[in-house]
Amino acid sequence: MTEDVRSAAAPTLEDVARAAGVSRATVSRVVNGVRNVDPAIQEAVRQAVAATGYTPNRAARSLVTRRADAIALVVSGAAADDAMEEAGPSPSGRENGAGEGQGRDDGGGVDDEDGETDGGSVSFTARVSADPFFGRVVTGVVNHLRPRGMYPMLMFAGTARARDEVVSYIRQGNTDGALVVSAHAEDPLPSLLTEAGLSAVLYGRPTRPVRISYVDLAQRDGARLAAERLLERGCRRIVTITGPLEAPVGQDRLTGFRETLARRGRPDAPAVEGRFSQESGEVAMARLLAEHPDLDGVFAANDLMAVGACHVLREHGRRVPEDVAVIGFDDNGVAAACRPPLTTVRQPVEEMAGAMVDLLLERLARPSLPVTSVIYEPTLVVRDSA
Amino acid sequence: MTEDVRSAAAPTLEDVARAAGVSRATVSRVVNGVRNVDPAIQEAVRQAVAATGYTPNRAARSLVTRRADAIALVVSGAAADDAMEEAGPSPSGRENGAGEGQGRDDGGGVDDEDGETDGGSVSFTARVSADPFFGRVVTGVVNHLRPRGMYPMLMFAGTARARDEVVSYIRQGNTDGALVVSAHAEDPLPSLLTEAGLSAVLYGRPTRPVRISYVDLAQRDGARLAAERLLERGCRRIVTITGPLEAPVGQDRLTGFRETLARRGRPDAPAVEGRFSQESGEVAMARLLAEHPDLDGVFAANDLMAVGACHVLREHGRRVPEDVAVIGFDDNGVAAACRPPLTTVRQPVEEMAGAMVDLLLERLARPSLPVTSVIYEPTLVVRDSA
DNA sequence: TTGAAAGCGCTAACAT
DNA sequence: ATGTTAGCGCTTTCAA
């Protein structure tokens, strides 16, 4: 289809204009789809574009439009404290690996500060690669952006330093907006972004009500689905491993779960807080087992913790699902890979990530648009564990 | 520290020049660290920069330097065939999910082509989020780039179409170079990139010898480590689950393993080919168990397959490591999370990804630099499975 | 509806 | 060692 000659220097508007016998301005109008161009000329220009193999120079365009034509995808995480001020413990459980090497390289040197040794970043980075959830968000965004000819600039904001750099990078106009997925509650990034007047869309309801668009799942409905399934199976002694309770997801999944149980006359399901990691799920399960040896149903607030729970249950001689039914949340790859395959609440992460893209792009196209939120419905995926 | 007034419009070189009482050119020189600037003036300019809160406008800079000051991180995958020409089977086992929905949306429309339904992209995307390996490469790159004030543009090239778009995007100068990690052998991307005269660095030796820089692990040494460990434990009947044999990693890990065994008088260790997915590891293990019921040692070419093997072994009543010792490869998070925790060959993925960044950046700084490769040494991480 | 011209902010000759 | 100047390729008034 493209059999043209493509010489060394990339063709410019000028070249196309000459080939079409019109002015640069007209070519620009055609290329940008601006009205008021004679159809005949329009066609001629299109031909010239094809013949020359013209593609707009983004730098030149950005220079005048003041748009970067790029967006940021930031995986955010650490709370206000980190690298430099690791001291104060956060409200709830802390990530174990955090805190080595802090305070290193404060000089602001631009050299050799690697994530592997960067204070506070270790556990953040580890969690991000360990939980398939983040990978799903990223692939969802990338795949949805691709047909639009765009690729996201990927950023991690795992430390206060990294976060500030990200914010100023975006403020400087290097991207037109940001998609952010937080690995932590109390993430100051959303506020920083909106305060700076930048367009952003979140994955998940922000902890504090900040005026920002977001895409979320009807978390409580998901938890309800899990509770009902456990109830239907005839579980009598149901417990739950929650997510971090300072985060909205953690709270919502717990309350949705408890509400359903309470409505069926089973208030006060025992709960132990986890941190969404497999290990925290194991610890929580062990504790629940010790305190409630007669338990026969477990709802873990994500798949990773459910997998950890299964491991511990088996080590304690309990069969899943015969002795204890287990339900996870997310429906990540680990759920299907688990033994037994996990019954879980599915969150259409990739789709939701795509919705984030749409929301942001619409907002950028029409900044006057109001802040919006889109809520997806979860579904129960029944496999073997419950 | 910054207590200046920051008005609406971003300060330009002009503003700084005025503030410092010099010309734009001088400011530019200072900002870009060009020699031949009087130290006193240099200092004055620096002050002015700080006072005004100046940051270079990248679009303007790119326009004249013809550098994008950005790099691509592409996770590549599918071979020449896909979306449009799914017909011919590849040399060895095919990814199972591949091939639904092919031929859809050929019209070249720029709308609504999502990865989830895009032919050939399904299994690719799934594999990418399922294998923590890719996440590690990505985090390694992002973390290493951050101190340099750069963020990679993330791209997936899972179909021929996507690959072409990626190549032309880069050719158009939207990024200065590319970091590529292939999920498939026979990936045409490296060749396409070099043929187009673009700078690129690969993760892993390319299938065919193409003149391109890469970072790799001494795969055979890693396999040797695994073989020796199994031998030391006194395993008598050792088998292996290989990676895809059309890929260099698959080959190298197998030959390194067999060579070591042969040198100890144990040629012909039974091998079954896997595809690096947990499921393929399960299938392979089941087959090996059927054909060699007396096996007592397994080397899986990656952790995911090792986990699958452990599942199957347990289901067949074999205890790990008492009855059968299992060793994986990579040392991803799943290795430590496995029950029992997996003894495995560690690949310092994040570090290696950092090395890719260095290689590419050096190359961009001095294009005359020769093509290089950096090889890392693997280490054996002993846990419980062997 | 189309063209002419100005200028976005920066770097890189070239002059001084 | 510093300043002057000429664009880089594009969009966007403003005229015609």
Side-chain angles (χ1 to χ4, degrees):
Chain A
M1 193 170 259
T2 54
E3 38 191 303
D4 57 272
V5 184
R6 207 163 299 194
S7 48
T12 71
L13 265 195
E14 185 72 50
D15 300 318
V16 179
R18 201 172 321 126
V22 297
S23 72
R24 292 206 308 267
T26 299
V27 179
S28 175
R29 289 183 186 109
V30 173
V31 169
N32 294 300
V34 177
R35 298 171 308 278
N36 301 344
V37 179
D38 186 295
I41 293 195
Q42 223 168 107
E43 186 48 32
V45 169
R46 251 181 261 292
Q47 301 238 342
V49 166
T52 53
Y54 171 78
T55 348
N57 177 313
R58 308 184 91 181
R61 179 179 279 177
S62 287
L63 183 55
V64 41
T65 61
R66 297 174 167 293
R67 282 182 293 103
D69 206 16
I71 70 172
L73 168 51
V74 15
V75 180
S76 187
D81 61 276
D82 52 29
M84 333 198 75
E85 340 157 355
E86 195 71 62
S90 43
S92 143
R94 287 193 67 65
E95 199 70 35
N96 48 350
E100 69 246 63
Q102 76 239 35
R104 173 178 167 274
D105 189 18
D106 283 354
V110 158
D111 236 57
D112 188 30
E113 175 194 341
D114 205 321
E116 285 304 279
T117 48
D118 188 6
S121 192
V122 174
S123 59
F124 170 71
T125 291
R127 174 166 173 213
V128 169
S129 11
D131 196 333
F133 168 77
F134 297 99
R136 291 180 67 193
V137 175
V138 172
T139 59
V141 167
V142 172
N143 283 331
H144 202 77
L145 229 29
R146 188 175 66 75
R148 277 111 189 132
M150 297 182 75
Y151 300 94
M153 307 204 71
L154 186 61
M155 333 198 174
F156 291 153
T159 62
R161 167 102 152 261
R163 185 177 52 239
D164 291 347
E165 289 173 359
V166 161
V167 172
S168 58
Y169 189 88
I170 299 173
R171 287 189 57 147
Q172 286 168 212
N174 292 306
T175 76
D176 298 320
L179 260 17
V180 3
V181 44
S182 288
H184 242 82
E186 299 304 335
D187 182 0
L189 189 64
S191 317
L192 288 175
L193 255 19
T194 49
E195 280 163 19
L198 299 167
S199 299
V201 176
L202 263 47
Y203 190 106
R205 173 163 60 87
T207 307
R208 291 178 249 183
V210 39
R211 287 192 49 72
I212 194 168
S213 293
Y214 64 89
V215 173
D216 206 349
L217 187 81
Q219 307 288 359
R220 305 159 91 113
D221 289 348
R224 177 176 51 72
L225 255 24
E228 284 169 354
R229 174 75 187 173
L230 257 14
L231 254 13
E232 275 165 24
R233 284 190 61 102
C235 293
R236 311 291 313 165
R237 189 63 183 160
I238 301 176
V239 303
T240 181
I241 301 174
T242 76
L245 293 177
E246 76 272 18
V249 276
Q251 280 293 347
D252 292 352
R253 290 180 190 172
L254 173 59
T255 60
F257 184 72
R258 278 194 163 148
E259 274 172 17
T260 305
L261 252 37
R263 204 171 300 131
R264 305 292 195 90
R266 316 272 195 89
D268 322 315
V272 168
E273 185 177 359
R275 291 187 320 265
F276 282 148
S277 68
Q278 180 176 324
E279 198 208 331
S280 73
E282 293 171 6
V283 172
M285 189 69 250
R287 203 171 120 199
L288 284 164
L289 225 29
E291 294 170 2
H292 310 279
D294 57 337
L295 60 83
D296 61 0
V298 180
F299 167 50
N302 81 344
D303 290 336
L304 241 34
M305 295 194 299
V307 168
C310 286
H311 281 161
V312 170
L313 286 168
R314 192 177 43 239
E315 282 163 3
H316 284 253
R318 313 296 177 100
R319 291 167 306 163
V320 176
E322 295 83 353
D323 302 326
V324 181
V326 176
I327 297 191
F329 207 114
D330 280 351
D331 194 25
N332 286 334
V334 297
C338 182
R339 288 313 160 98
L342 237 46
T343 288
T344 189
V345 178
R346 177 167 181 82
Q347 181 174 195
V349 180
E350 291 84 357
E351 255 185 85
M352 293 167 68
M356 291 173 73
V357 169
D358 292 341
L359 240 38
L360 183 59
L361 260 26
E362 283 165 12
R363 189 82 198 302
L364 294 178
R366 298 203 276 127
S368 59
L369 249 38
V371 160
T372 335
S373 58
V374 179
I375 310 297
Y376 279 72
E377 280 302 322
T379 50
L380 185 72
V381 176
V382 177
R383 295 206 181 84
D384 302 347
S385 71
Chain B
M1 193 172 260
T2 54
E3 39 190 303
D4 56 273
V5 184
R6 208 164 297 194
S7 49
T12 71
L13 264 195
E14 185 72 51
D15 299 320
V16 180
R18 200 172 321 125
V22 297
S23 73
R24 289 207 310 266
T26 299
V27 179
S28 175
R29 289 184 186 108
V30 173
V31 169
N32 293 300
V34 177
R35 297 171 307 279
N36 301 343
V37 179
D38 185 296
I41 294 196
Q42 224 169 107
E43 186 48 32
V45 170
R46 250 182 260 294
Q47 301 238 343
V49 166
T52 53
Y54 170 78
T55 349
N57 178 314
R58 307 184 94 186
R61 178 179 280 177
S62 288
L63 184 55
V64 45
T65 60
R66 295 169 170 296
R67 281 182 293 102
D69 207 15
I71 69 173
L73 169 51
V74 16
V75 179
S76 188
D81 62 275
D82 51 27
M84 330 197 79
E85 342 159 350
E86 195 74 62
S90 44
S92 139
R94 288 195 64 68
E95 197 72 35
N96 49 349
E100 69 245 64
Q102 76 239 38
R104 173 179 166 273
D105 190 16
D106 284 354
V110 158
D111 235 56
D112 189 29
E113 175 194 341
D114 206 320
E116 286 303 281
T117 48
D118 187 5
S121 191
V122 174
S123 60
F124 170 73
T125 290
R127 174 167 172 213
V128 169
S129 16
D131 196 334
F133 168 77
F134 297 99
R136 290 180 68 194
V137 175
V138 171
T139 58
V141 168
V142 172
N143 283 331
H144 202 78
L145 230 28
R146 188 175 66 74
R148 276 111 189 134
M150 297 182 76
Y151 301 94
M153 307 205 71
L154 188 60
M155 331 196 169
F156 291 153
T159 63
R161 166 100 153 262
R163 185 178 51 239
D164 292 347
E165 290 174 358
V166 161
V167 171
S168 60
Y169 189 86
I170 300 173
R171 287 189 57 149
Q172 285 168 213
N174 292 306
T175 75
D176 299 320
L179 260 18
V180 4
V181 43
S182 286
H184 243 80
E186 300 303 334
D187 182 0
L189 189 64
S191 317
L192 288 174
L193 255 18
T194 48
E195 279 162 20
L198 299 166
S199 299
V201 176
L202 262 46
Y203 190 106
R205 174 163 60 87
T207 306
R208 292 178 248 181
V210 38
R211 288 193 50 72
I212 194 168
S213 294
Y214 65 88
V215 172
D216 205 348
L217 188 79
Q219 307 287 0
R220 306 159 89 111
D221 288 349
R224 176 175 52 71
L225 256 25
E228 284 169 354
R229 173 74 187 174
L230 256 17
L231 254 12
E232 275 165 24
R233 283 188 63 101
C235 294
R236 311 289 313 165
R237 190 63 184 160
I238 302 176
V239 303
T240 181
I241 300 173
T242 76
L245 294 177
E246 77 271 20
V249 275
Q251 281 294 348
D252 293 351
R253 290 180 191 173
L254 173 59
T255 61
F257 185 71
R258 278 194 163 148
E259 273 173 17
T260 305
L261 252 36
R263 204 170 301 130
R264 305 290 196 91
R266 317 274 195 87
D268 323 314
V272 168
E273 185 177 359
R275 290 187 321 265
F276 282 149
S277 68
Q278 179 175 325
E279 199 208 332
S280 74
E282 292 170 6
V283 172
M285 189 69 250
R287 204 171 119 199
L288 284 164
L289 226 28
E291 294 171 3
H292 310 279
D294 57 338
L295 61 83
D296 60 1
V298 180
F299 167 51
N302 82 344
D303 290 337
L304 241 34
M305 296 194 298
V307 168
C310 286
H311 283 162
V312 171
L313 285 168
R314 191 177 46 237
E315 282 163 5
H316 284 253
R318 313 296 176 101
R319 292 166 306 164
V320 176
E322 294 82 353
D323 303 326
V324 181
V326 176
I327 297 191
F329 206 114
D330 280 352
D331 195 24
N332 285 335
V334 296
C338 182
R339 288 313 159 98
L342 236 45
T343 288
T344 190
V345 177
R346 178 168 180 80
Q347 180 174 197
V349 180
E350 291 83 358
E351 254 184 85
M352 293 167 67
M356 292 173 73
V357 170
D358 292 341
L359 239 39
L360 182 59
L361 261 26
E362 283 165 12
R363 189 82 198 303
L364 294 177
R366 299 203 275 127
S368 59
L369 250 39
V371 160
T372 335
S373 59
V374 179
I375 310 297
Y376 279 72
E377 281 301 321
T379 49
L380 185 73
V381 176
V382 178
R383 295 206 180 85
D384 302 347
S385 71

